[in-house]
Amino acid sequence: MAADERNAFEVYRDRVDRPLGRLFREYGAAEAHWLVIGMVANVVARVAGLVPPVVLGVAIDAVFTGTGPYTLPLVPDAWLPTAEPAQFRLSVILIFASFIVTGVFTYVYGIAANNFAHRVMHSVRTDSFDQMQRLDMTFFDDKQTGEVMSVLNNDASNLEVFLDNALQNSARLGVMLVGIAGVLAYYNYELAIVTLAAIPLMFLFTLWFMRAVEPRYTAQRSVVGDLNTALENALSGVELVKTSNTEAHESERVEDASYSYFRRTMSILRLNYVYRPGMELLAGLAFAATFAVGGFWLANGPPGPFSTELTVGTFVTFVLLTQQFVAPLAEVSNIIDQYENAKASCERVFGLRDIPVRIEDDDDAIELGGGAQGDGGARNDGGVTPAGDPDHGGVAGAVEYDDVSFAYPENALVDPEDADEEVLSGVSFTADPGDTVALVGPTGAGKSTLLKLLLRLYDVTDGAVRVDGHDVRDVTVESLRSSIGYVAQDTTLFDGTIAENIRYGRFTRIEEAGADGLDEEAVRERVVEAAKAAEAHEFVSSLPNGYETRIGERGVKLSGGQRQRLAIARVVLQDPAILILDEATSAVDTETEMLIQRSLDRLAADRTTFVIAHRLSTVTDADTALVLEDGEVVERGTHDELLAADGLYAKLWGVQAGEIDELPEEFVERARERHVDRAVERATESEVDSETLE
Ligand code: ADP
């Protein structure tokens, strides 16, 4: 992908403002109680961790050297024993108890923090998946599946690591810094100045590190994108790679991308390896300075400007607490790493979320076929119509194209005005219920596009497509699509059993068939009936487990003809009023072809059918044919009428029948001219626009 050719995903990602703040508002708020419990437990555990060094220092002074009173911060002296043995026992109990409290609260904190992180991650993942399913075809035309996969997997995990580790580690660090500084200042503020002098230095050092590392993270992320693209290309195009002998080339591409990823990562790590030991060095210096100054103080009294007294016990407390600084400080670079990753992941999550969904139900959309809106699309899940019902759930199947024009939205997700060149212009026709309409024309004429508009995979740019008199934009997407059956050139089968694949769409979840008064057995019978109608029953029965045979990625592989018959069975079960057939171009043997043809004829018999005809022999059976050329209907009529007209159709027929070798130059020339005309038209239009603006 060229750097200047940014897809919708990237554009929306860059527009996301304060992503982590949004994460907490939109997802964190619902689980905030877990976060609060985790934070509180974390604070309690850390504060309890400060108890042993303090008690130890006090015990040394009061019990062993007898140089100080037995007092504890925040505890009234009246509660404390005065006899030395009792003081010693209490010290031991306190030290034990603090370890138990630390243990218990660390456990509570672990449970709560993980609950918070994983619950948020779960919602992020399922919401992102739902959003992905709602997105229009325009989004998928850009082939952004790799990026979506990465949002659903990596990004959700990055957020989890951040929400769990980074958040709690920074809380711990905060508690440690404040708690330790407080205790030190309480016991001897002068020595505390020596110990804590390193903190501002550490702060500046961290600031420098973050500034230096941030651009390196940005650079790393961009090469991750390149690496993923290289991997995805090579995987999805594996057949092309093999047949073109380009393995070496692909390896080189992946190697290049991987190497730059390695370089970028190393540049981050190099900084990390300056930062981490740097912090440890500063913490070590603080420790050494405390030890040196404190030791001198004990031996010779207050040094230099200092005047307070220092006891052995306080000195021990200082030394132990200063030690406790080191571990959490070493975590800072990890926290920063996790924070940077989470920020980027969060941008991607919300970038995906913010891509507008354009094809969705209007608020007052009606149910095609008359079902009350909002009753859950019973047809699609379970069907209120028994298979073979002549009125197909109340949809007659009258189709009307009224002066339809369409341009693929080039970057419409970003800017709806930004459309590509028109691929359909001024297409008008009607098909009565039960008609068979063949679409004919050279490749790229717009045949598939025409039918995608009927399915509302895209919305028309101009004009209207109507089914039973309703604009397809006024009916629910679900009721529209469930009344249109689609048999594609290549059949998609899911990993699952044959029966599941046939049921897919109509009785996807067999348990829900009950809603239609059908039990599992009845659904099974329907599946077999459909398979019989699709001429698939025979080959399915001969498979080792019949209808329960696993197919798809991890199961039995089926031939093209077999797959197609399963697709037909799927549509038989769906029982739609309208049928779209994309005639397969790949050859199957004559017998299979005959079987398929027979089942298709049966399927088409009482439905409005559109066939994208690759073999013109198909047209002879159609009620009418539309001949498309360069996005316009140039001829229409029955096979005989079209032949008599002696136009494009007659020429195409001639080419297929082998009477003439190729399309005459005049057609090619005409197509070219039309392109030029349109370009001129567009140019003048935009001139007029800018004039009116002025
Ligand atoms: P046909 O089915 O007659 O071969 P299509 O309807 O597939 O023709 O294509 C019509 C025109 O639309 C072609 O110029 C094709 O390049 C263009 N086109 C098809 N699909 C897309 C798409 N998803 N995005 C942009 N242009 C497309």
Side-chain angles (χ1 to χ4, degrees):
M1 195 187 310
D4 53 342
E5 212 178 87
R6 295 170 358 122
N7 60 36
F9 208 157
E10 287 161 351
V11 171
Y12 280 94
R13 192 165 72 206
D14 289 350
R15 287 187 194 169
V16 174
D17 203 22
R18 300 174 55 79
L20 287 170
R22 212 172 134 188
L23 180 75
F24 281 100
R25 273 198 310 282
E26 292 185 18
Y27 289 99
E31 307 294 343
H33 51 287
W34 289 113
L35 182 64
V36 172
I37 296 174
M39 288 282 183
V40 170
N42 196 4
V43 170
V44 173
R46 292 313 130 207
V47 170
L50 300 180
V51 169
V54 170
V55 171
L56 187 64
V58 171
I60 288 174
D61 287 348
V63 182
F64 304 128
T65 62
T67 51
Y70 194 83
T71 58
L72 290 171
L74 309 177
V75 182
D77 290 344
W79 295 4
L80 298 172
T82 44
E84 284 182 0
Q87 289 174 344
F88 178 66
R89 274 199 301 279
L90 180 64
S91 301
V92 172
I93 291 168
L94 281 177
I95 288 173
F96 264 116
S98 73
F99 280 115
I100 290 170
V101 169
T102 304
V104 169
F105 279 85
T106 303
Y107 168 78
V108 173
Y109 137 72
I111 298 279
N114 277 299
N115 254 298
F116 176 72
H118 284 267
R119 278 164 195 269
V120 168
M121 178 178 79
H122 173 72
S123 314
V124 166
R125 186 176 281 151
T126 49
D127 277 9
S128 302
F129 184 74
D130 291 349
Q131 159 76 358
M132 185 274 287
Q133 295 219 94
R134 272 197 306 273
L135 284 173
D136 309 340
M137 285 308 292
T138 322
F139 175 78
F140 298 98
D141 287 344
D142 272 353
K143 296 219 173 30
Q144 300 175 97
T145 42
E147 304 215 33
V148 177
M149 282 296 277
S150 138
V151 169
L152 296 174
N153 275 323
N154 307 349
D155 292 334
S157 314
N158 281 347
L159 292 183
E160 183 229 312
V161 170
F162 170 74
L163 293 172
D164 182 357
N165 286 352
L167 217 54
Q168 298 294 344
N169 276 338
S170 31
R172 184 172 97 154
L173 188 64
V175 175
M176 295 294 270
L177 283 181
V178 174
I180 292 176
V183 172
L184 296 188
Y186 174 86
Y187 278 108
N188 190 321
Y189 71 93
E190 287 176 343
L191 186 55
I193 292 172
V194 175
T195 309
L196 300 177
I199 301 279
L201 288 180
M202 289 174 171
F203 183 75
L204 289 177
F205 189 43
T206 304
L207 221 55
W208 165 81
F209 173 70
M210 286 186 75
R211 290 245 171 86
V213 85
E214 173 112 31
R216 299 185 188 205
Y217 274 108
T218 312
Q220 187 201 37
R221 281 196 289 273
S222 87
V223 292
V224 171
D226 294 344
L227 180 59
N228 284 343
T229 310
L231 292 174
E232 204 183 303
N233 271 346
L235 263 181
S236 58
V238 64
E239 204 172 84
L240 178 66
V241 172
K242 282 191 185 302
T243 52
S244 328
N245 281 322
T246 45
E247 286 95 340
H249 170 72
E250 292 300 325
S251 296
E252 211 170 286
R253 279 220 299 217
V254 169
E255 200 179 307
D256 286 349
S258 175
Y259 187 67
S260 35
Y261 176 72
F262 161 77
R263 294 281 305 271
R264 301 291 150 96
T265 309
M266 281 311 290
S267 91
I268 294 175
L269 289 179
R270 268 199 303 277
L271 267 191
N272 252 323
Y273 285 124
V274 172
Y275 176 70
R276 237 184 128 104
M279 288 293 271
E280 279 170 15
L281 181 68
L282 286 174
L285 286 179
F287 176 75
T290 307
F291 186 72
V293 174
F296 180 85
W297 202 315
L298 280 182
N300 308 312
F306 299 140
S307 56
T308 49
E309 199 193 325
L310 182 70
T311 63
V312 177
T314 306
F315 178 64
V316 169
T317 303
F318 262 78
V319 168
L320 289 178
L321 285 181
T322 313
Q323 270 284 297
Q324 286 202 12
F325 259 151
V326 181
L329 280 175
E331 285 294 322
V332 174
S333 66
N334 282 343
I335 295 175
I336 293 172
D337 183 57
Q338 289 160 0
Y339 165 78
E340 287 288 343
N341 281 331
K343 207 169 67 172
S345 291
C346 219
E347 270 171 17
R348 295 154 61 89
V349 165
F350 288 115
L352 179 68
R353 183 70 35 82
D354 289 349
I355 297 175
V357 177
R358 294 249 153 70
I359 297 195
E360 51 186 351
D361 293 348
D362 248 5
D363 287 339
D364 49 2
I366 58 162
E367 200 90 347
L368 191 62
Q373 206 232 328
D375 70 359
R379 247 191 83 78
N380 204 30
D381 293 337
V384 285
T385 331
D389 176 358
D391 74 350
H392 308 295
V395 182
V399 174
E400 182 193 359
Y401 277 62
D402 183 0
D403 202 15
V404 168
S405 297
F406 176 70
Y408 277 100
E410 192 180 6
N411 220 345
L413 291 171
V414 180
D415 173 10
E417 303 302 319
D418 176 17
D420 230 344
E421 187 180 333
E422 273 189 358
V423 296
L424 290 175
S425 24
V427 173
S428 293
F429 68 87
T430 54
D432 291 331
D435 274 2
T436 295
V437 179
L439 299 175
V440 196
T443 308
K447 304 180 292 287
S448 326
T449 306
L450 191 81
L451 296 176
K452 286 182 197 164
L453 298 180
L454 178 60
L455 279 160
R456 218 185 153 205
L457 294 177
Y458 300 88
D459 274 338
V460 297
T461 325
D462 244 319
V465 178
R466 299 193 188 93
V467 174
D468 287 359
H470 299 290
D471 192 313
V472 292
R473 287 166 293 188
D474 295 338
V475 300
T476 62
V477 175
E478 185 173 1
S479 68
L480 173 73
R481 292 190 188 151
S482 68
S483 56
I484 303 174
Y486 178 46
V487 180
Q489 274 192 19
D490 301 309
T491 304
T492 306
L493 295 175
F494 285 106
D495 194 54
T497 66
I498 294 217
E500 281 166 355
N501 268 282
I502 294 178
R503 284 197 275 112
Y504 193 81
R506 177 74 194 261
F507 297 108
T508 315
R509 284 166 172 267
I510 201 162
E511 315 85 62
E512 284 169 14
D516 306 308
L518 291 177
D519 57 12
E520 285 188 25
E521 194 45 47
V523 174
R524 223 164 271 142
E525 276 167 26
R526 293 281 187 84
V527 167
V528 175
E529 245 170 65
K532 282 182 180 159
E535 307 279 354
H537 181 68
E538 214 167 307
F539 89 80
V540 173
S541 307
S542 70
L543 290 171
N545 292 316
Y547 285 87
E548 298 309 314
T549 308
R550 258 190 113 70
I551 50 172
E553 217 155 79
R554 271 173 289 157
V556 175
K557 303 284 176 285
L558 300 177
S559 73
Q562 290 170 328
R563 298 163 71 88
Q564 212 169 15
R565 278 175 282 166
L566 291 187
I568 296 170
R570 194 182 277 167
V571 177
V572 171
L573 197 65
Q574 181 193 352
D575 186 32
I578 301 167
L579 185 63
I580 294 177
L581 301 176
D582 198 348
E583 208 171 62
T585 43
S586 52
V588 288
D589 60 274
T590 329
E591 195 192 345
T592 311
E593 162 118 35
M594 197 199 68
L595 287 176
I596 291 174
Q597 202 48 52
R598 202 162 68 187
S599 60
L600 284 178
D601 288 347
R602 219 177 281 144
L603 189 60
D606 62 340
R607 297 167 220 274
T608 314
T609 305
F610 295 90
V611 195
I612 298 182
H614 298 296
R615 283 180 294 271
L616 295 186
S617 57
T618 311
V619 183
T620 53
D621 301 328
D623 294 307
T624 181
L626 298 172
V627 185
L628 280 149
E629 189 190 1
D630 201 20
E632 288 176 33
V633 179
V634 289
E635 290 166 32
R636 64 183 81 203
T638 62
H639 172 73
D640 293 335
E641 287 165 358
L642 289 170
L643 274 191
D646 198 27
L648 176 59
Y649 182 83
K651 299 291 182 295
L652 289 168
W653 177 261
V655 174
Q656 273 206 0
E659 286 163 16
I660 47 179
D661 289 338
E662 56 185 40
L663 272 186
E665 186 58 30
E666 58 172 306
F667 289 102
V668 183
E669 194 51 43
R670 222 166 54 211
R672 242 182 243 137
E673 273 167 17
R674 214 174 275 134
H675 275 294
V676 174
D677 283 352
R678 269 196 221 146
V680 172
E681 212 172 89
R682 264 204 316 278
T684 23
E685 266 170 21
S686 52
E687 268 168 35
V688 173
D689 280 353
S690 44
E691 274 167 22
T692 16
L693 280 177
E694 283 158 15

